Amino acid sequence: MGSKWRKVKLALGMNLCVYSPRTGNDDDSSPTSEILSNAALLSPSTDGSLHNTSPSPSPTSGSQGHGFRLSKSLSRSSKKTCSICLASMNRGDGHAIFTAECSHSFHFQCIASNVKHGNQICPVCRAKWNEIPLQYPNLDPPPGRARVNPVDWPQHNALMTVVRRLPPPRPNPNRINAPPCQTPEPAIFNDDESLGHQSDSSERSSSGKNVAENDGQRTMKIKTYTEVPAVLRFNAADNFTILINLKAPAPNSSVNMSRNQANSPQVSQTSRAPVDLVTVLDVSGSMAGTKLALLKRAMGFVIQNLGPNDRLAVIAFSSTARRLFPLRRMSETGRQQALQAVNSLVANGGTNIAEGLRKGAKVMEDRREKNPVASIILLSDGQDTYTVSNMGSSQQQPNYQLLLPLSIHNESSSNFKIPVHAFGFGADHDASSMHSISEMSGGTFSFIETEGVIQDAFAQCIGGLLSVVVKDLQVNIECVDPRVSLGSLKAGSYRNRVMSDGRMGTIDVGDLYADEERDFLVSVNVPTEISSTETALIRVKCVYNDPLTKGSVTVGSDEVRIRRPDEAGQQSASVEVDRQQNRLRAAEAMLLARTTAEKGDLSGAASILENCRKVLSETVSAKSHDRLCIALDAELKEMQERLASRHVYEASGRAYILSGLSSHSWQRATARGDSTDGSSLVQAYQTPSMTEMLNRSQATLLGSPSAQRLIRPVLSFASHPKPR
């Protein structure tokens, strides 16, 4: 029995595969008869056979200490299912079956495709094969099955299938293991798949007109609030605060994602803007094992939830970067090819984030056609050691701008704006560089602390990307009364400016997801009033593009006015304005605490956060039990706990604070700790589309596609993380 458990422990720690030949003394309950494969992680279970029996599915020592358990039903059924294409593998159904020397079986076409991608190890148990299947790519798919050949293969008329014995490897301790070279990459990535014919309704354009002026459900809503409703007539007020609240339209009724099948979304592609998505994935040596398997599963979820008009490209980087999968539509064939490409990922080498982003940006730059929405997802668990290094002088901050191609800098004068949504994975990633990349490009930074929540983090992100209803939004603020002038615009990370005469200001917001809100604080001077009982302050106008109609939309607000009484009366301060002032106070405290902590003064950083909590507790919104104020207090308290020691701060505190800053500065949901959890207070800015996609992710993980709510315990964070 002892030897069996040793095999179990070794397999779980090394290859995520448990397999032991059955002997006459083995019974059906032996734990060594259960198999956990990368393919099972890559593809969501649709029959409910995958059960997550632990709060946090993270078998590696760097996780929270919980492991996976796979039911026997899935273990038995996996022998009848190809682990690559996930189709049936019954003998006699017209498909050739290849059984490897490690005893795992696959469709011959699928495993030959896998080998052509450079993978010479078993996708299930990662055993290295001495004999590999090879086939020339001109095989026609059987009836009912899509072609699975890699899209980059050259076409030949000859048909030949061989099994070649690999020569034994020569030992060379100085060589870094890397997958064999695939077909050479083109110099220009202009081989993106055509968008195809799209509905004429999405091609309507009305240049310069408000195309949605008669459709109140498809236009933005503008609300304004003054800090107090009145100012005495003969009094002047400087830095009088006005809140501008913007809310994006709700998604079209037909865009609501069906819950009938968690991994087969029934989304009408004509009722939302299609997406071009490039995923830039870290496959360095530190991603080996559980991390890579969970990344494959998360990517499988993304692939299954993209529609046929959405396009996906996959970039894998380690010491170098390679375009693993070109920009292809996620039709049934495209999905199958993308799943195969992701399944072929092998972890080894160093971490060259700059090269991965350069190649990801090149895919976007070189594409011949463009979907209305475009974004890059970057995931890494390490630090770039090729372009910037933290080993230099402690007095000089690394130049993280070198990691991001100039073409996708948010400050670039060109119209080529591609946000990079960065995901820092685990305790060893460089949170500062990932946060800088996201800030410079206009994206968000998420901190994936627990390995098992990577799919949830991706789900929240794509839930937003698949619901964009506003493009290139610009907010214009104009003073009405000639005596009124603008003081400042508090807009977080959004680019804003006030004209030299103080009469006008603009905020460049960019894209908004369905039902997403933005709040901006504007300060103005209020002059004395002699003859009137009211003073007109400002007027707000929003100009943006509708990604469906491709037309320009203009929405204006009424004039913002305040009363000017002769005598002071009892009046209450606006809770809405106070709430947003608290958000800005908390964000400023986070920034100052982070700067203080980087200087080594952890106790000083904790005191800054504690003082901010005290100030918030005395505000109007806190006394009215405002939910955002309660969430801010919980978030600040969590950050204090992560400043307990230098070790805790380095492992998680820095990343948690930076992810919080990213969320509040962009007013967009990011993943950090348990922030994607439905029971968490720290889930500000989640939209209904994000929540829906999170529900789908959880239902998939639990093996119950009909689950309607997130079922997951709140993660607790000890003051000292477990050693990696």
Side-chain angles (χ1 to χ4, degrees):
M1 187 65 182
S3 62
K4 292 180 181 177
W5 278 112
R6 278 198 301 272
K7 293 178 181 177
V8 173
K9 294 177 182 178
L10 179 62
L12 285 175
M14 298 294 292
N15 297 325
L16 282 179
C17 177
V18 183
Y19 177 79
S20 176
R22 183 172 299 179
T23 65
N25 297 328
D26 292 342
D27 56 25
D28 291 338
S29 63
S30 170
T32 57
S33 65
E34 298 189 8
I35 297 178
L36 177 58
S37 72
N38 287 358
L41 294 172
L42 171 61
S43 302
S45 170
T46 58
D47 59 1
S49 57
L50 181 58
H51 301 281
N52 184 356
T53 61
S54 63
S56 178
S58 317
T60 61
S61 59
S63 68
Q64 300 297 320
H66 301 289
F68 282 103
R69 185 176 179 181
L70 199 64
S71 67
K72 290 184 179 180
S73 60
L74 184 57
S75 178
R76 290 192 297 268
S77 64
S78 63
K79 298 179 181 179
K80 300 180 182 180
T81 303
C82 176
S83 298
I84 298 177
C85 72
L86 310 176
S88 173
M89 205 167 57
N90 295 325
R91 297 187 182 277
D93 62 358
H95 306 320
I97 307 298
F98 174 79
T99 301
E101 57 213 67
C102 59
S103 80
H104 294 117
S105 299
F106 315 89
H107 285 125
F108 187 88
Q109 279 188 316
C110 295
I111 197 60
S113 169
N114 207 48
V115 169
K116 275 291 185 179
H117 275 92
N119 196 353
Q120 296 180 357
I121 61 176
C122 177
V124 176
C125 68
R126 297 179 61 82
K128 188 170 184 179
W129 290 338
N130 292 320
E131 294 183 343
I132 59 171
L134 295 177
Q135 89 178 13
Y136 281 91
N138 197 30
L139 291 178
D140 293 327
R145 281 192 73 203
R147 177 180 295 275
V148 296
N149 298 332
V151 292
D152 285 335
W153 280 2
Q155 298 298 312
H156 300 280
N157 293 325
L159 171 64
M160 181 171 65
T161 301
V162 298
V163 175
R164 184 182 63 169
R165 178 172 295 277
L166 295 174
R170 296 180 180 179
N172 185 355
N174 297 323
R175 189 175 75 90
I176 298 177
N177 291 328
C181 293
Q182 295 102 344
T183 55
E185 290 182 336
I188 301 176
F189 292 155
N190 60 354
D191 54 354
D192 54 300
E193 186 174 1
S194 173
L195 298 179
H197 176 73
Q198 297 190 7
S199 173
D200 292 338
S201 62
S202 66
E203 298 295 332
R204 296 194 305 266
S205 178
S206 181
S207 176
K209 296 182 181 180
N210 186 347
V211 298
E213 60 186 354
N214 296 322
D215 186 358
Q217 298 299 318
R218 296 297 302 166
T219 56
M220 292 193 57
K221 301 293 189 297
I222 305 175
K223 294 181 180 180
T224 56
Y225 304 87
T226 57
E227 62 174 83
V228 290
V231 175
L232 290 178
R233 176 182 295 186
F234 299 107
N235 288 358
D238 294 329
N239 297 322
F240 184 83
T241 303
I242 303 170
L243 168 64
I244 300 173
N245 171 262
L246 311 175
K247 185 171 183 179
N252 195 310
S253 58
S254 61
V255 80
N256 291 333
M257 292 173 279
S258 170
R259 300 180 183 181
N260 294 332
Q261 295 183 359
N263 63 343
S264 298
Q266 305 296 320
V267 181
S268 173
Q269 290 301 303
T270 59
S271 53
R272 69 166 176 85
V275 177
D276 281 345
L277 180 64
V278 176
T279 56
V280 181
L281 308 176
D282 186 346
V283 292
S284 59
S286 58
M287 286 289 294
T290 308
K291 287 183 179 181
L292 186 62
L294 291 171
L295 173 60
K296 290 181 180 181
R297 182 184 68 183
M299 281 299 300
F301 177 84
V302 172
I303 291 167
Q304 295 287 4
N305 283 279
L306 294 177
N309 285 342
D310 301 315
R311 299 191 299 177
L312 173 73
V314 180
I315 305 294
F317 71 92
S318 53
S319 300
T320 59
R322 176 170 180 80
R323 188 188 65 166
L324 196 68
F325 185 72
L327 200 60
R328 289 287 179 266
R329 292 173 61 185
M330 289 296 98
S331 59
E332 288 302 318
T333 302
R335 286 181 186 172
Q336 191 177 59
Q337 293 175 340
L339 286 170
Q340 290 180 25
V342 169
N343 192 62
S344 71
L345 292 172
V346 178
N348 50 49
T351 306
N352 195 337
I353 295 176
E355 182 64 15
L357 285 175
R358 186 192 68 80
K359 198 145 289 187
K362 183 174 174 59
V363 170
M364 290 295 193
E365 291 171 357
D366 294 351
R367 54 192 169 144
R368 295 169 301 172
E369 300 182 51
K370 298 179 180 179
N371 266 324
V373 182
S375 186
I376 294 175
I377 288 179
L378 166 68
L379 179 135
S380 177
D381 75 330
Q383 303 183 19
D384 184 284
T385 55
Y386 291 82
T387 306
V388 297
S389 175
N390 289 328
M391 302 303 293
S393 172
S394 59
Q395 298 179 355
Q396 185 175 3
Q397 181 73 13
N399 185 8
Y400 293 126
Q401 291 188 5
L402 299 176
L403 294 174
L404 194 68
L406 289 176
S407 60
I408 56 178
H409 272 261
N410 194 36
E411 298 296 328
S412 174
S413 58
S414 68
N415 292 325
F416 185 78
K417 294 181 175 63
I418 307 294
V420 178
H421 298 287
F423 293 82
F425 195 5
D428 295 329
H429 78 278
D430 186 353
S432 297
S433 67
M434 299 291 276
H435 177 259
S436 297
I437 289 169
S438 64
E439 283 290 302
M440 289 185 291
S441 65
T444 55
F445 166 61
S446 292
F447 170 37
I448 303 177
E449 182 172 27
T450 307
E451 293 172 348
V453 302
I454 179 175
Q455 179 170 307
D456 286 350
F458 277 15
Q460 179 173 268
C461 182
I462 67 169
L465 293 175
L466 297 181
S467 66
V468 172
V469 293
V470 170
K471 290 283 298 177
D472 303 322
L473 169 63
Q474 184 178 80
V475 181
N476 298 314
I477 303 122
E478 180 182 5
C479 295
V480 179
D481 191 296
R483 299 168 298 167
V484 174
S485 61
L486 298 176
S488 64
L489 301 178
K490 296 184 178 179
S493 293
Y494 293 102
R495 186 166 53 184
N496 62 88
R497 54 201 170 276
V498 176
M499 302 306 170
S500 57
D501 59 0
R503 297 287 299 164
M504 292 189 64
T506 60
I507 305 173
D508 297 327
V509 181
D511 299 353
L512 289 183
Y513 306 152
D515 292 305
E516 205 167 31
E517 295 188 50
R518 293 291 180 268
D519 292 286
F520 304 116
L521 293 179
V522 180
S523 67
V524 299
N525 71 296
V526 178
T528 58
E529 189 66 59
I530 300 176
S531 59
S532 176
T533 59
E534 282 188 333
T535 301
L537 300 179
I538 62 171
R539 184 186 298 111
V540 181
K541 182 175 68 175
C542 291
V543 181
Y544 62 94
N545 294 322
D546 188 314
L548 281 180
T549 65
K550 298 182 174 62
S552 176
V553 182
T554 301
V555 180
S557 73
D558 296 331
E559 292 182 355
V560 179
R561 294 172 171 267
I562 57 170
R563 291 184 288 107
R564 307 306 299 271
D566 292 326
E567 298 179 357
Q570 186 176 2
Q571 58 181 347
S572 58
S574 168
V575 174
E576 290 80 8
V577 174
D578 187 68
R579 176 191 298 128
Q580 297 306 319
Q581 289 175 331
N582 282 345
R583 176 179 62 83
L584 292 175
R585 289 190 189 102
E588 291 170 0
M590 294 175 195
L591 180 60
L592 183 57
R594 189 249 170 165
T595 303
T596 304
E598 292 297 327
K599 296 178 181 178
D601 185 5
L602 296 181
S603 60
S607 297
I608 292 171
L609 299 178
E610 178 63 25
N611 292 335
C612 182
R613 292 178 62 196
K614 291 179 180 178
V615 172
L616 295 185
S617 66
E618 299 298 324
T619 60
V620 173
S621 56
K623 292 178 180 179
S624 63
H625 306 289
D626 177 70
R627 180 173 174 80
L628 177 59
C629 195
I630 295 173
L632 290 172
D633 182 76
E635 188 175 6
L636 292 170
K637 182 179 179 181
E638 180 68 43
M639 292 178 181
Q640 280 182 267
E641 294 177 0
R642 294 174 185 265
L643 292 167
S645 69
R646 173 56 55 177
H647 174 63
V648 175
Y649 177 73
E650 295 286 349
S652 67
R654 177 189 291 115
Y656 192 93
I657 292 174
L658 288 174
S659 183
L661 281 171
S662 178
S663 180
H664 293 304
S665 64
W666 294 111
Q667 299 183 55
R668 179 160 281 172
T670 63
R672 57 193 185 282
D674 61 348
S675 63
T676 59
D677 183 10
S679 62
S680 170
L681 287 173
V682 189
Q683 52 173 329
Y685 316 119
Q686 274 186 5
T687 67
S689 298
M690 290 177 173
T691 304
E692 174 68 27
M693 193 64 75
L694 277 166
N695 286 336
R696 186 181 300 186
S697 173
Q698 283 293 310
T700 301
L701 291 174
L702 293 172
S704 175
S706 61
Q708 300 297 312
R709 61 186 293 271
L710 289 166
I711 303 174
R712 167 205 188 92
V714 178
L715 300 176
S716 61
F717 303 98
S719 59
H720 296 280
K722 295 183 179 181
R724 293 178 59 79

